[in-house]
Amino acid sequence: MSAHTHTRSHAKAAGSVDIRLPWWALVLPMLAFAVLLLLIADPGQAHAAGGDPAVGQLIDRIQQTLSR
């Protein structure tokens, strides 16, 4: 009896790795980036919860720095 080996019909280049990501592995980070970008672009729509005013001042300072 002879042993049969399974060969692939498409050859890969030496040293290459076959990586396949599910669709959501690309969509979720892009969606999160888009939401954060919208929050930065239009911060008037975001309502801050009543909390420590120092946090609000810090966010204002960051926004002023980014808008320069």
Side-chain angles (χ1 to χ4, degrees), residues 2-46:
S2 64
H4 294 288
T5 59
H6 178 70
T7 58
R8 292 187 176 186
S9 61
H10 61 296
K12 290 194 295 187
S16 69
V17 178
D18 187 22
I19 298 175
R20 295 177 190 226
L21 294 173
W23 64 270
W24 52 264
L26 295 174
V27 172
L28 289 179
M30 289 190 302
L31 183 64
F33 177 77
V35 168
L36 290 174
L37 186 63
L38 287 174
L39 285 175
I40 291 172
D42 193 14
Q45 298 295 326

